[in-house]
C-alpha cells in the first residue's frame, strides 16, 4: 500500500511540473534558511563549548552604586584574591588572577611577531583544560616561563619543537617556552589568547602592582574561578557578596557587591542595566529563531494553498477511492505520504543549498560553522524536522481533500463552496504580513546603524593612524619620533595617548574641585595625552586651548570634554583647578585649560562618557597617533612612516591601525544582524512571491473560459489584468494594515535599548508598502497578462 501511495505521489509530481517545482523549491528554500539559522543558533548556544569545565567556571564581577546608578563589570581589586583564598578557598577548585588581554611583541632570532595574550596564575591552563601539543599543562609555575598557542609556535619556530626555546617579550624580558596548546576555536571567550604569561612574572615587571596589593579601590584586574562540584554559583555568591564592603570602609559607600558570573552567560547574557542582568545576544538568538520559523511557515503555507486550490483536480480520485472502500483515514495517510515525499525531496535540495551557501553565510555572519556530517544529533533533529514539516504542510490538505463526498464528486456536481477560498486568502494575508513586517524591521535596523554612523564623532578620524608602543623601548622617545615622522613628510602632526582613540582603558575617581557636592562620587574616563593632542585628532575646542610647549605649566594641566563639565557642574571652567587625591602630591592641582566637544570613544549608540585628558608625564604611553600628510597617498605616507620607525626600532614589527577602521568595528555586530535580516527577509519575500505566482497561475487557469468570453465581448488587456490582479492587491493591502502597527510596536521596543536612537518614521512604512505592492504586481502581472493575451478561440474551444 505504501509503495502505491508513493507511486501515485511521483505521478502527480510529474503530471503537475509547475506546481511541483513551486512546492519543492519553496519548501527547499524555506528549509535551507531554517537549517542555516539552526546551525547559527547551535553555534551561538555552544559558545565556550570548547571548555569542558564550562559549567563550573565563572568570572568575578561586582556591582558598584554611584550617585544613584549601579554599574556592573569584571574589574576587581587585587586584595579580593587574598580574601577569597584565606576565607573561602574550600569553595573553589581554582582561583586565577589575570591581567587584561594585551598585545606584546614576541621575538625569537630574527622573527618578531605581535600577539594578543594574558598574564594568569598557574591554575589557568588546568581550569581551561587547554589541549597540549607539546610540554606540560602546569607550565606557568616558573616565573620566567611562557605558554603559547600552536599557531604562535609555528610563526616563531616553524616545524621545530618550541619547548625550552627562549622568547624575548617586548624586546626586554626573556621567557622560556614550557608548553604549546591547541589554538582555541573562534566561538570561545579566550579564542584570541595566543600566549599565557605567569602572573608571577607580570607582578614583578609592573611596579605599580605592589601598591595595588592593598588597595580595595584600584579595580584594575580580572579574576576567574572554578567552583567545586559540591556547591553552586549562587551559594558562593551569597557568601562573598559583601567581602569588599566589609574589608574597606572607604569603598563601602559605593555598596560594592561581589558575585560569580557564570561562563555560560558570558556571551549570551552579558548585559546589565542598573545592576540587573537584562539579556544580551540571546535576544538575537530568539529573533532569528522566530524568523527561521516564520520562513518555514511561509513555505508550508505555499504547499497548503496550492494543494487546496487544486482540490477539484483530485476530487474524482478521492470519490473513486471512497466508492471502492477506502476509509478516510487511509486517504489522509495517502495525502500525508505525498506531503512527506515532497518535503523529503525538498530537504535533499535544501541540504544542497546549505552546502553551496555555507561559506558565504559564514562570511556574512562572521562564523566558522562546519556542516555536521557526523553529528548524530543533527541528523536526528533533521528527521524530526522533516516529519514535523510534512505534518505542518500536509495536515490541512489531507483533512480537506479526504472530506469530499463521493456521491457529489462522481455525479459531477462537486464545486468548491462560496467560502472555500477564504482559508487561502487568510494564509496569503498571513504570508505578506510576515514579509512586510520583516521588511520594516530590516529597514529600521539599517536606519539605526546609519543614524549612529552619521552621529558626529567629535574628531577627524579620516587620515589618522595609531601605532601601538606598549613596550619599554619606546619610553621617552616620542618627541624624537615626532620630529622624525614630520620631517619624513609622511605625517603632519603627532601626539601620544595611553588608550586607543576608540576606547577607554582607564576610569578614575578621587578628584576634588571647587563646588563639588558633598558625597558626590565621580567616575571619569582618564587618558594621558601629549602635545598636539587637539591638532592631531582634529578636535573641536569649545573653550580654551590645547596642550602647548609654550606653557611650562601645562605639565599639570587637564582638558575636559563637554559632558565632564556638565557632569561636574563646573561653570566657566577655564582656569579652574582639579586636585587628584590619589597622587603622591595631592595638593598640586591640575588647571583646566580647555574644553573639547565630546569624542565618541565607546559605543556610538550610547551617551558619551565624562572624560578628562591629562598631560602625560610618567611615561604612560600606549599609542603614537599620527595625522597622515593629505598631500601624499596613504601608501606613500605609510612607507615613509615605516622607514622612520624601523630606523629607530629595527627589531620591532611596524604595526598600525587606521582609526576610522577601528571605529567602524563598533558597528559590526549590528551590521551582521542587519545583513542576516536582509538575507532572510529576501528569502521570505521570494517564498511568498513563489506562492503568489502559483495561486495567480491557478486562478488564471480556473477562469480561462471567463477570460475568453470577456475578450470576445471586448474587454481590453488592462481590464483583464485588473480583474485578475485586484484580489491579490486587496489581500496585500490588508497584510500591510496588519503588519504596520505590529512592526511599529516591536521595532519601537527594540530601539529602546539604544540611548542614541532613530525614530520609526513614516518613510519606512512608505518604502515597505510601496515595495510590497510593486513586488506583488510584478509577480501577479506575469500570469495575468499572459492569460489576458491568450487566444479566446482556443480557451472557449477547450471548454
Amino acid at each position: 500500500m505504501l509503495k502505491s501511495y508513493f507511486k501515485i505521489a511521483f505521478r502527480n509530481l510529474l503530471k503537475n511540473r509547475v506546481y511541483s517545482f513551486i512546492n519543492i523549491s519553496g519548501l527547499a528554500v524555506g528549509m535551507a534558511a531554517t537549517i542555516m539559522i539552526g546551525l547559527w543558533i547551535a553555534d551561538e548556544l555552544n559558545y565556550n563549548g570548547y571548555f569542558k569545565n564550562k559549567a563550573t567556571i565563572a568570572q568575578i564581577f561586582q556591582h558598584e552604586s554611584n550617585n544613584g546608578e549601579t554599574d556592573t563589570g569584571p574589574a576587581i581589586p587585587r586584595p579580593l584574591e587574598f580574601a577569597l583564598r584565606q576565607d573561602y578557598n574550600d569553595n573553589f577548585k581554582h582561583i586565577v588572577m589575570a591581567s587584561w588581554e594585551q598585545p606584546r611583541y614576541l621575538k625569537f632570532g630574527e622573527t618578531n611577531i605581535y600577539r594578543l595574550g594574558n598574564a594568569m596564575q598557574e591554575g589557568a591552563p588546568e581550569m581551561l583544560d587547554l589541549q597540549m601539543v607539546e610540554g606540560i599543562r602546569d607550565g606557568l609555575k616558573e616565573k620566567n616561563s611562557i605558554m603559547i598557542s600552536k599557531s604562535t609556535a609555528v610563526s616563531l619556530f616553524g616545524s621545530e619543537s618550541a619547548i625550552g626555546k627562549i622568547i624575548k617579550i617586548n624586546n626586554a624580558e626573556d621567557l622560556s617556552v614550557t608548553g604549546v596548546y591547541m589554538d582555541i576555536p573562534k566561538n570561545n571567550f579566550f579564542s584570541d589568547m595566543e600566549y599565557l604569561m605567569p602572573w608571577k612574572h607580570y607582578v614583578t615587571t609592573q611596579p605599580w602592582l605592589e601598591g595595588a596589593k592593598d588597595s580595595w579601590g584600584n579595580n584594575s584586574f580580572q579574576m576567574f574561578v572554578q567552583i567545586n562540584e559540591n556547591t553552586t554559583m549562587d551559594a558562593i555568591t551569597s557568601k562573598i557578596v559583601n567581602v569588599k564592603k566589609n574589608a574597606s570602609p572607604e569603598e563601602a559607600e559605593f555598596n560594592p557587591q561581589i558575585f560569580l558570573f557564570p561562563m555560560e552567560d558570558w556571551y549570551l547574557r552579558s548585559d546589565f542595566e542598573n545592576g540587573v542582568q537584562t539579556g544580551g545576544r540571546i535576544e538575537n538568538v530568539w529573533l532569528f529563531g522566530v524568523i527561521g520559523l516564520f520562513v518555514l511557515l511561509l513555505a508550508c503555507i505555499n504547499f497548503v494553498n496550492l494543494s487546496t486550490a487544486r482540490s477539484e483536480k483530485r476530487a474524482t480520485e478521492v470519490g473513486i477511492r471512497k466508492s471502492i472502500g477506502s476509509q478516510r483515514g487511509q486517504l489522509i495517510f495517502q495525502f500525508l505520504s505525498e506531503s512527506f515525499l515532497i518535503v523529503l525531496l525538498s530537504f535533499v535540495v535544501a541540504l544542497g543549498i546549505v552546502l553551496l551557501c555555507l561559506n558565504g553565510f559564514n562570511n556574512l555572519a562572521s562564523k566558522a560553522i562546519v556542516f555536521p556530517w557526523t553529528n548524530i544529533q543533527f541528523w536526528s533533529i533533521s528527521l524530526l524536522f522533516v516529519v514535523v514539516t510534512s505534518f505542518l504542510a500536509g495536515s490541512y490538505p489531507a483533512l480537506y481533500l479526504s472530506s469530499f463526498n463521493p456521491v457529489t464528486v462522481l455525479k459531477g456536481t462537486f464545486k468548491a463552496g462560496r467560502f472555500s477560498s477564504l482559508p487561502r486568502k487568510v494564509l496569503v494575508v498571513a504570508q505578506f504580513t510576515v514579509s512586510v513586517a520583516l521588511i520594516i524591521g530590516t529597514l529600521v535596523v539599517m536606519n539605526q546603524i546609519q543614524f549612529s554612523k552619521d552621529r558626529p564623532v567629535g574628531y577627524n578620524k579620516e587620515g589618522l593612524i595609531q601605532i601601538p608602543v606598549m613596550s619599554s623601548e619606546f619610553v621617552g622617545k616620542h618627541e624624537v619620533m615626532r620630529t622624525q615622522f614630520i620631517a619624513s613628510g609622511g605625517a603632519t602632526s603627532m601626539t601620544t595617548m595611553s588608550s586607543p582613540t576608540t576606547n577607554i582603558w582607564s576610569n578614575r575617581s578621587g578628584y576634588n574641585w571647587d563646588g563639588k557636592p558633598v558625597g558626590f562620587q565621580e567616575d571619569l574616563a582618564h587618558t594621558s595625552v601629549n602635545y598636539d593632542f587637539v591638532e592631531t585628532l582634529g578636535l573641536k575646542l569649545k573653550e580654551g586651548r590645547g596642550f602647548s610647549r609654550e606653557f611650562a605649566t601645562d605639565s599639570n594641566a587637564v582638558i575636559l570634554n563637554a559632558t565632564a563639565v556638565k557632569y561636574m557642574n563646573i561653570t566657566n571652567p577655564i582656569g579652574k583647578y582639579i586636585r587628584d587625591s590619589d597622587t603622591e602630591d595631592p595638593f598640586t592641582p591640575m588647571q583646566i585649560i580647555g574644553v573639547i566637544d565630546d569624542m565618541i570613544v565607546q559605543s556610538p549608540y550610547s551617551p558619551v562618557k565624562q572624560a578628562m585628558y591629562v598631560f602625560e608625564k610618567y611615561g604612560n604611553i600606549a599609542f603614537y597617533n599620527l595625522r597622515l600628510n593629505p598631500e601624499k597617498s596613504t601608501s606613500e605616507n605609510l612607507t615613509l612612516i615605516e622607514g622612520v620607525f624601523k630606523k629607530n626600532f629595527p627589531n620591532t614589527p611596524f604595526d598600525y591601525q587606521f582609526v576610522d577602521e577601528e571605529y567602524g568595528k563598533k558597528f559590526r555586530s549590528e551590521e551582521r544582524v542587519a545583513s542576516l535580516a536582509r538575507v532572510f527577509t529576501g528569502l521570505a519575500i521570494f517564498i511568498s512571491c513563489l506562492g503568489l505566482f502559483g495561486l495567480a497561475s491557478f486562478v488564471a487557469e480556473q477562469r480561462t473560459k471567463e477570460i475568453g468570453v470577456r475578450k470576445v465581448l471586448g474587454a481590453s488587456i488592462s481590464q483583464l489584468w485588473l480583474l485578475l490582479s485586484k484580489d491579490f492587491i486587496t489581500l496585500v493591502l490588508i497584510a500591510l494594515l496588519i503588519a504596520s502597527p505590529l512592526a511599529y510596536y516591536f521595532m519601537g521596543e527594540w530601539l529602546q535599548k539604544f540611548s542614541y536612537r532613530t525614530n520609526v518614521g513614516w518613510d519606512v512604512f512608505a518604502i515597505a508598502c510601496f515595495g510590497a505592492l510593486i513586488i506583488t504586481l510584478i509577480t501577479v502581472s506575469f500570469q495575468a497578462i499572459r492569460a489576458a493575451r491568450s487566444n479566446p478561440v482556443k480557451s472557449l474551444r477547450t471548454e
Side-chain angles (χ1 to χ4, degrees):
M1 183 64 73
L2 193 61
K3 180 180 178 181
S4 171
Y5 290 161
F6 282 116
K7 185 183 293 185
I8 293 169
F10 269 114
R11 288 174 179 171
N12 281 321
L13 287 176
L14 296 174
K15 182 181 178 181
N16 303 291
R17 288 184 174 85
V18 173
Y19 296 102
S20 299
F21 172 78
I22 291 173
N23 271 332
I24 292 174
S25 58
L27 279 171
V29 170
M31 295 177 83
T34 306
I35 291 169
M36 283 193 286
I37 289 175
L39 292 173
W40 180 85
I41 289 175
D43 190 77
E44 291 285 284
L45 295 177
N46 195 44
Y47 195 87
N48 282 331
Y50 178 79
F51 305 111
K52 72 174 187 180
N53 301 321
K54 175 181 176 180
T56 57
I57 294 176
Q59 187 171 12
I60 301 294
F61 268 48
Q62 68 170 324
H63 301 301
E64 281 196 313
S65 298
N66 192 355
N67 302 318
E69 295 185 358
T70 301
D71 295 323
T72 303
I76 55 100
R78 192 178 175 195
L80 183 62
E81 175 206 353
F82 310 126
L84 295 187
R85 290 191 189 278
Q86 179 177 325
D87 299 324
Y88 304 97
N89 198 53
D90 56 342
N91 294 278
F92 301 103
K93 186 173 182 180
H94 291 291
I95 296 175
V96 176
M97 288 294 289
S99 67
W100 301 96
E101 189 176 68
Q102 183 177 344
R104 288 181 171 87
Y105 295 106
L106 309 182
K107 184 182 179 185
F108 177 76
E110 297 301 315
T111 305
N112 202 347
I113 59 178
Y114 195 59
R115 292 292 185 268
L116 281 169
N118 293 68
M120 288 189 175
Q121 289 180 321
E122 58 192 55
E126 183 181 348
M127 179 181 73
L128 299 178
D129 190 38
L130 296 182
Q131 303 302 302
M132 302 307 296
V133 178
E134 283 189 283
I136 53 176
R137 186 176 284 172
D138 57 350
L140 298 181
K141 287 186 176 181
E142 298 300 323
K143 174 184 170 183
N144 294 318
S145 61
I146 187 171
M147 297 177 69
I148 58 177
S149 67
K150 182 179 179 181
S151 60
T152 301
V154 171
S155 297
L156 285 172
F157 312 115
S159 58
E160 295 180 16
S161 172
I163 304 303
K165 297 284 199 308
I166 304 299
I167 297 177
K168 189 174 285 293
I169 306 298
N170 282 341
N171 294 314
E173 303 99 17
D174 290 335
L175 300 182
S176 175
V177 178
T178 53
V180 177
Y181 55 88
M182 290 294 294
D183 288 81
I184 298 172
K186 186 175 181 179
N187 64 330
N188 291 275
F189 184 80
F190 295 102
S191 61
D192 292 333
M193 190 175 70
E194 296 166 299
Y195 68 82
L196 263 177
M197 294 171 55
W199 178 258
K200 297 174 185 176
H201 181 273
Y202 178 70
V203 169
T204 57
T205 57
Q206 304 291 323
W208 65 276
L209 281 172
E210 186 62 31
K213 188 166 60 174
D214 301 314
S215 174
W216 284 94
N218 187 346
N219 298 306
S220 300
F221 308 94
Q222 297 186 92
M223 187 191 297
F224 301 93
V225 297
Q226 182 181 357
I227 65 173
N228 287 326
E229 299 291 341
N230 59 353
T231 187
T232 65
M233 302 278 184
D234 290 339
I236 296 176
T237 292
S238 66
K239 295 177 183 178
I240 69 172
V241 63
N242 292 318
V243 167
K244 183 177 177 180
K245 184 193 296 187
N246 295 335
S248 174
E250 295 82 4
E251 295 298 312
E253 58 185 307
F254 297 106
N255 190 29
Q257 296 181 326
I258 307 299
F259 68 99
L260 271 61
F261 188 45
M263 179 182 263
E264 294 178 334
D265 286 351
W266 291 358
Y267 181 72
L268 292 176
R269 299 173 181 86
S270 59
D271 289 353
F272 288 84
E273 186 174 333
N274 205 25
V276 177
Q277 191 174 6
T278 56
R281 292 181 179 89
I282 190 67
E283 295 168 8
N284 290 339
V285 172
W286 282 107
L287 171 66
F288 285 106
V290 170
I291 289 176
L293 180 61
F294 276 145
V295 170
L296 181 62
L297 286 175
L298 295 182
C300 291
I301 286 172
N302 281 355
F303 183 89
V304 172
N305 276 345
L306 293 178
S307 297
T308 55
R310 298 184 60 79
S311 57
E312 289 184 39
K313 302 286 185 180
R314 304 289 301 269
T316 304
E317 176 192 344
V318 172
I320 292 174
R321 284 184 174 277
K322 280 194 171 184
S323 67
I324 60 176
S326 290
Q327 300 298 314
R328 188 182 182 191
Q330 292 175 306
L331 292 172
I332 290 173
F333 186 74
Q334 176 195 336
F335 291 126
L336 285 175
S337 299
E338 291 183 18
S339 170
F340 179 79
L341 178 63
I342 292 173
V343 171
L344 187 61
L345 291 173
S346 301
F347 178 72
V348 173
V349 176
L351 289 181
I353 294 173
V354 170
L355 292 173
L356 287 172
C357 299
L358 192 56
N359 285 337
F361 180 77
N362 278 333
N363 292 332
L364 189 68
S366 189
K367 290 286 186 183
I369 299 171
V370 178
F371 193 84
W373 290 108
T374 58
N375 191 316
I376 297 176
Q377 186 180 17
F378 169 78
W379 293 110
S380 301
I381 293 173
S382 295
L383 178 61
L384 181 63
F385 177 53
V386 169
V387 172
V388 171
T389 305
S390 302
F391 183 78
L392 282 174
S395 56
Y396 178 71
L399 292 171
Y400 178 72
L401 292 171
S402 63
S403 66
F404 293 162
N405 188 325
V407 176
T408 305
V409 169
L410 295 177
K411 276 184 177 181
T413 58
F414 171 79
K415 289 290 180 184
R418 179 181 174 187
F419 298 106
S420 62
S421 64
L422 183 60
R424 290 195 294 276
K425 291 180 179 179
V426 171
L427 291 175
V428 169
V429 169
Q431 272 189 317
F432 274 86
T433 297
V434 171
S435 298
V436 171
L438 288 175
I439 293 173
I440 294 171
T442 302
L443 290 174
V444 171
V445 172
M446 293 169 61
N447 282 355
Q448 172 62 22
I449 293 171
Q450 193 58 49
F451 181 76
S452 298
K453 283 185 174 181
D454 293 340
R455 182 182 180 186
V457 296
Y459 64 98
N460 182 12
K461 61 183 185 295
E462 309 299 329
L464 184 66
I465 66 169
Q466 56 188 23
I467 302 173
V469 289
M470 284 169 275
S471 69
S472 58
E473 64 181 323
F474 295 101
V475 175
K477 299 180 181 178
H478 56 274
E479 280 296 307
V480 173
M481 295 302 297
R482 170 188 168 277
T483 302
Q484 292 185 24
F485 281 138
I486 295 174
S488 73
T492 58
S493 64
M494 179 189 124
T495 191
T496 67
M497 296 180 69
S498 61
S499 298
T501 313
T502 55
N503 207 343
I504 293 172
W505 278 4
S506 178
N507 295 282
R508 293 278 299 275
S509 59
Y511 295 101
N512 291 299
W513 62 92
D514 291 341
K516 178 180 178 180
V518 177
F520 184 81
Q521 299 295 334
E522 73 282 358
D523 176 28
L524 294 164
H526 180 277
T527 305
S528 298
V529 298
N530 219 299
Y531 296 121
D532 303 319
F533 169 61
V534 171
E535 294 78 8
T536 302
L537 269 64
L539 299 167
K540 296 178 182 177
L541 280 166
K542 293 176 71 70
E543 298 180 63
R545 60 178 177 82
F547 297 110
S548 172
R549 295 173 181 82
E550 298 177 5
F551 298 91
T553 55
D554 277 6
S555 61
N556 285 318
V558 62
I559 294 174
L560 303 178
N561 69 355
T563 294
V565 173
K566 184 177 179 180
Y567 173 79
M568 299 166 76
N569 195 25
I570 302 176
T571 56
N572 301 318
I574 303 303
K576 293 189 175 177
Y577 292 90
I578 298 174
R579 293 171 294 280
D580 186 353
S581 61
D582 288 338
T583 62
E584 293 181 3
D585 183 9
F587 302 104
T588 301
M590 298 181 292
Q591 186 179 42
I592 302 172
I593 62 169
V595 177
I596 59 173
D597 274 349
D598 290 334
M599 285 175 59
I600 300 177
V601 294
Q602 291 183 300
S603 170
Y605 305 106
S606 302
V608 173
K609 184 170 183 176
Q610 52 278 2
M612 63 189 305
Y613 300 91
V614 302
F615 188 82
E616 182 280 314
K617 54 185 176 181
Y618 298 114
N620 186 19
I621 294 175
F623 293 92
Y624 289 162
N625 295 74
L626 285 83
R627 173 67 57 187
L628 300 181
N629 189 343
E631 296 181 0
K632 292 184 171 68
S633 68
T634 300
S635 59
E636 187 178 358
N637 284 327
L638 291 175
T639 300
L640 293 170
I641 291 169
E642 182 178 10
V644 172
F645 186 90
K646 297 301 289 185
K647 176 184 174 182
N648 288 273
F649 309 106
N651 297 320
T652 302
F654 175 63
D655 187 65
Y656 62 90
Q657 299 153 356
F658 287 102
V659 171
D660 57 344
E661 292 181 359
E662 294 300 303
Y663 183 78
K665 291 177 182 178
K666 296 178 181 296
F667 300 94
R668 283 186 179 175
S669 178
E670 284 72 22
E671 284 177 334
R672 279 196 293 270
V673 171
S675 298
L676 291 172
R678 281 198 297 270
V679 169
F680 293 120
T681 297
L683 293 177
I685 294 169
F686 170 76
I687 292 168
S688 298
C689 289
L690 205 59
L692 204 61
F693 181 85
L695 283 178
S697 176
F698 167 74
V699 169
E701 179 184 340
Q702 192 181 42
R703 302 177 74 171
T704 300
K705 183 175 181 180
E706 177 189 349
I707 293 169
V709 171
R710 286 180 180 274
K711 286 198 73 172
V712 169
L713 294 176
S716 65
I717 290 178
S718 61
Q719 288 174 320
L720 292 173
W721 170 80
L722 181 62
L723 174 73
L724 294 172
S725 302
K726 65 180 182 180
D727 287 344
F728 293 107
I729 297 298
T730 301
L731 295 178
V732 173
L733 287 173
I734 294 171
L736 291 172
L737 291 175
I738 297 172
S740 295
L742 289 174
Y744 179 83
Y745 173 77
F746 285 109
M747 295 314 298
E749 289 292 306
W750 178 77
L751 286 171
Q752 292 304 310
K753 71 178 185 177
F754 301 105
S755 300
Y756 189 83
R757 56 181 177 268
T758 186
N759 296 315
V760 186
W762 65 268
D763 55 322
V764 170
F765 297 96
I767 293 170
C769 294
F770 181 75
L773 288 172
I774 292 297
I775 291 169
T776 302
L777 286 173
I778 292 172
T779 304
V780 173
S781 293
F782 177 81
Q783 288 293 352
I785 294 173
R786 181 183 177 190
R789 290 172 60 88
S790 62
N791 189 339
V793 175
K794 290 184 179 180
S795 60
L796 293 175
R797 182 185 298 160
T798 301
E799 293 295 323

